[in-house]
mmCIF file of all heavy atoms in Angstrom:
data_model
loop_
_atom_site.group_PDB
_atom_site.id
_atom_site.type_symbol
_atom_site.label_atom_id
_atom_site.label_comp_id
_atom_site.label_asym_id
_atom_site.label_seq_id
_atom_site.Cartn_x
_atom_site.Cartn_y
_atom_site.Cartn_z
ATOM 1 N N THR A 15 6.424 13.334 -11.120
ATOM 2 C CA THR A 15 5.775 13.300 -12.430
ATOM 3 C C THR A 15 5.549 14.720 -12.953
ATOM 4 O O THR A 15 5.769 14.999 -14.134
ATOM 5 C CB THR A 15 4.449 12.522 -12.359
ATOM 6 O OG1 THR A 15 4.749 11.170 -11.971
ATOM 7 C CG2 THR A 15 3.712 12.522 -13.688
ATOM 8 N N VAL A 55 13.982 16.312 -6.615
ATOM 9 C CA VAL A 55 12.652 16.919 -6.558
ATOM 10 C C VAL A 55 12.160 16.925 -5.117
ATOM 11 O O VAL A 55 12.226 15.904 -4.429
ATOM 12 C CB VAL A 55 11.646 16.158 -7.445
ATOM 13 C CG1 VAL A 55 10.258 16.801 -7.375
ATOM 14 C CG2 VAL A 55 12.137 16.074 -8.884
ATOM 15 N N ASP A 79 23.841 16.342 3.739
ATOM 16 C CA ASP A 79 23.887 14.897 3.460
ATOM 17 C C ASP A 79 23.192 14.567 2.143
ATOM 18 O O ASP A 79 23.692 13.765 1.355
ATOM 19 C CB ASP A 79 23.245 14.096 4.599
ATOM 20 C CG ASP A 79 24.125 14.030 5.835
ATOM 21 O OD1 ASP A 79 25.348 14.248 5.715
ATOM 22 O OD2 ASP A 79 23.586 13.747 6.924
ATOM 23 N N LYS A 116 -8.233 16.896 -5.071
ATOM 24 C CA LYS A 116 -7.289 16.158 -5.908
ATOM 25 C C LYS A 116 -5.926 16.826 -5.777
ATOM 26 O O LYS A 116 -5.843 17.991 -5.410
ATOM 27 C CB LYS A 116 -7.721 16.225 -7.371
ATOM 28 C CG LYS A 116 -8.915 15.381 -7.702
ATOM 29 C CD LYS A 116 -9.340 15.512 -9.159
ATOM 30 C CE LYS A 116 -8.190 15.642 -10.118
ATOM 31 N NZ LYS A 116 -8.554 15.716 -11.521
ATOM 32 N N LEU A 117 -4.881 16.097 -6.086
ATOM 33 C CA LEU A 117 -3.553 16.707 -6.089
ATOM 34 C C LEU A 117 -3.493 17.731 -7.215
ATOM 35 O O LEU A 117 -3.764 17.419 -8.374
ATOM 36 C CB LEU A 117 -2.468 15.640 -6.267
ATOM 37 C CG LEU A 117 -2.312 14.671 -5.091
ATOM 38 C CD1 LEU A 117 -1.294 13.583 -5.424
ATOM 39 C CD2 LEU A 117 -1.924 15.398 -3.833
#
Side-chain angles (χ1 to χ4, degrees):
T15 298
V55 180
D79 286 340
K116 287 178 37 178
L117 292 175

